[in-house]
Amino acid sequence: MGELIMSAPVAGLTSKSRIAAEDVAMLRHEVFGDGVVTRGEAEALFALDATAKDKCQEWPPFFIEAVTDYIVHQEKPSGYISQDNADWLIRTISRDGMVDSRTELELLVHVLEQAKSSPAQFCVYALEQVAHAVIDGKGPLMLGGALASGLVAQAEVELLRRILHAHGGDGNIAITRVEAEVLLKIDERTAQGQNDPSWNELFVKAIANFVMCSAGYEAPTRDVALRHDAFLEHADPEIGGFFSRMISGGLAGIMEAYRSPGDIEAEWEAKNRAAEALARRAETIDAGEAGWLIEHIGVDRPLYENERALLTLIKHASPEIHPALRPLLAKVA
C-alpha cells in the first residue's frame, strides 16, 4: 500500500492491540473532520484493522463507512467507482483471491450497495467470495463454523441477492454473463446438497434474466427480477420440489416482469422506426447465449432440478429463442 502517512493520534493506535469506543470517536473526528477521506487515511484504517486484535463493536461500522466514503464519493462523479479504486480495494482486502474477514466482506458488499455504478469484475469478485464458502468451505463466511460447505444456506442466498441487486445500480440492469457463470458454478457444485429453497428461486430468476434479456426481452430492474416470492417456497405436501412449485403457480409471476421482444419492437417502431436494428442485436446475442446454455447445462449428465426449472421457464417464454436450443428444451415438458 506504500508508505502510510498518519496523524499523531492515529499513529499512536498502531502500537495498541485494542481499539476502544473512545478511539473510534477520535478516529471519526480525525478522518471526517475536513469532510474528505483520502487514500492515505483509508490505508491507515486498514493497517489498524489488521494490527488490532481486539476491536469494539463501534469499529466495524466506522471502518466500513469511512472506506466506503473514500471509494464511492471522493472521486468525481460521486457514486461511480473507478477501475483504479476497485482494483485498489480488491488488492487491499485479498489474500490469495479471498477476503480475509467478515468486516472486509461486508465492506465490499456495502461499497457495491452505495455505488451508482461499479466495474463488472468488482461484483463478480464479491460473488466469488460466497462461492469460495459454499464450494470449498473457505473464506470469512466459514469462520465460527456456522455454515457448511457443499450447500447454499439462506444467509448465503441473501448475501448473493444483495450483491446482485447492488450491482444493478445505474444502468447495470440485466444479469451479466460472468455473474451467471459464478451462479452456475455454485449450483453445479451444490446440486446434491440440501440447499435452502430460496437458492432455487434466486438461481432460476437470475439465469433466466441473463438469457431472456440477451434474447431481446426488456429487462425489469434487478430488484423486480430477483425479488423473493414466498409462494415458491411453501408448497403443498403433495407437490414435491421447486420445479413442481414453479410449474404449478410461479411461472406466470416470474414472466410478468418481462416485456417480449415483440412489445419492444412495436414501441421502437412507433417512436423512431428502429426495430430493425433492435432485431439484429437480439438475433446476434440470441445465438451466442443459446450456445452458452448448451455448454453449461446438462453436459454428459441428467438435468438438475434447477436446470429443469430454468429451461421450462425459457421454453414457456420463447419456444423459438434459437433453433440450437431445441434439443435441450426437449428434455423438459
Side-chain angles (χ1 to χ4, degrees):
M1 289 189 291
E3 183 179 355
L4 296 181
I5 301 176
M6 306 182 189
S7 66
V10 175
L13 291 178
T14 59
S15 61
K16 298 174 59 176
S17 61
R18 183 175 189 274
I19 298 178
E22 55 268 27
D23 297 323
V24 173
M26 180 273 293
L27 287 168
R28 184 172 291 278
H29 175 75
E30 287 287 325
V31 172
F32 289 115
D34 58 0
V36 176
V37 180
T38 66
R39 177 169 291 193
E41 289 171 328
E43 290 179 339
L45 294 179
F46 271 108
L48 291 176
D49 189 62
T51 57
K53 304 305 179 185
D54 183 12
K55 307 179 186 76
C56 64
Q57 64 181 6
E58 290 83 2
W59 169 257
F62 163 72
F63 174 75
I64 291 169
E65 178 187 358
V67 178
T68 298
D69 187 85
Y70 164 67
I71 293 288
V72 177
H73 299 299
Q74 293 307 321
E75 285 196 7
K76 303 299 181 184
S78 177
Y80 292 79
I81 301 176
S82 67
Q83 187 66 55
D84 178 63
N85 274 350
D87 292 342
W88 173 81
L89 183 58
I90 290 175
R91 286 196 309 270
T92 303
I93 64 179
S94 288
R95 312 292 186 277
D96 297 323
M98 285 184 287
V99 174
D100 194 45
S101 70
R102 283 181 175 268
T103 299
E104 291 178 344
L105 179 59
E106 182 60 32
L107 166 65
L108 182 64
V109 178
H110 187 67
V111 165
L112 279 166
E113 290 177 327
Q114 294 300 306
K116 295 178 181 178
S117 179
S118 58
Q121 195 58 35
F122 196 60
C123 175
V124 172
Y125 178 78
L127 293 173
E128 287 174 342
Q129 303 312 305
V130 185
H132 285 312
V134 301
I135 294 174
D136 304 316
K138 298 178 180 179
L141 285 174
M142 303 307 294
L143 296 178
L147 300 176
S149 61
L151 60 86
V152 188
Q154 184 176 12
E156 294 158 318
V157 175
E158 291 312 309
L159 184 56
L160 288 167
R161 197 188 306 273
R162 282 180 64 193
I163 294 168
L164 291 170
H165 182 204
H167 194 228
D170 187 6
N172 296 311
I173 296 176
I175 299 298
T176 67
R177 176 177 292 202
V178 285
E179 290 169 339
E181 288 179 346
V182 175
L183 298 179
L184 277 167
K185 180 171 66 174
I186 292 173
D187 191 65
E188 182 175 2
R189 297 289 293 275
T190 64
Q192 306 304 321
Q194 296 297 315
N195 291 334
D196 189 85
S198 58
W199 163 247
N200 304 330
E201 178 193 1
L202 179 65
F203 171 80
V204 170
K205 286 184 172 183
I207 305 301
N209 177 268
F210 164 64
V211 174
M212 292 173 65
C213 293
S214 296
Y217 281 75
E218 184 178 38
T221 65
R222 288 194 179 195
D223 186 36
V224 172
L226 304 178
R227 66 189 171 194
H228 173 63
D229 294 316
F231 70 86
L232 289 175
E233 287 190 12
H234 303 292
D236 187 295
E238 299 300 318
I239 303 176
F242 172 78
F243 177 74
S244 296
R245 294 198 291 279
M246 192 194 76
I247 299 305
S248 66
L251 194 61
I254 295 173
M255 285 304 304
E256 284 177 359
Y258 295 85
R259 295 174 59 210
S260 73
D263 293 338
I264 300 172
E265 182 175 317
E267 182 175 317
W268 276 64
E269 185 173 355
K271 288 183 177 180
N272 58 11
R273 303 293 179 181
E276 183 178 352
L278 181 66
R280 285 199 303 269
R281 173 184 177 275
E283 182 179 0
T284 301
I285 301 177
D286 205 13
E289 304 323 322
W292 181 86
L293 270 174
I294 293 168
E295 291 175 2
H296 285 83
I297 290 183
V299 179
D300 299 326
R301 59 166 172 76
L303 293 173
Y304 298 136
E305 184 180 65
N306 281 353
E307 294 172 340
R308 291 172 61 220
L310 171 65
L311 292 175
T312 300
L313 175 60
I314 294 171
K315 185 175 183 178
H316 177 87
S318 180
E320 302 300 326
I321 190 170
H322 193 275
L325 269 181
R326 289 173 186 166
L328 191 58
L329 294 176
K331 295 182 179 182
V332 296

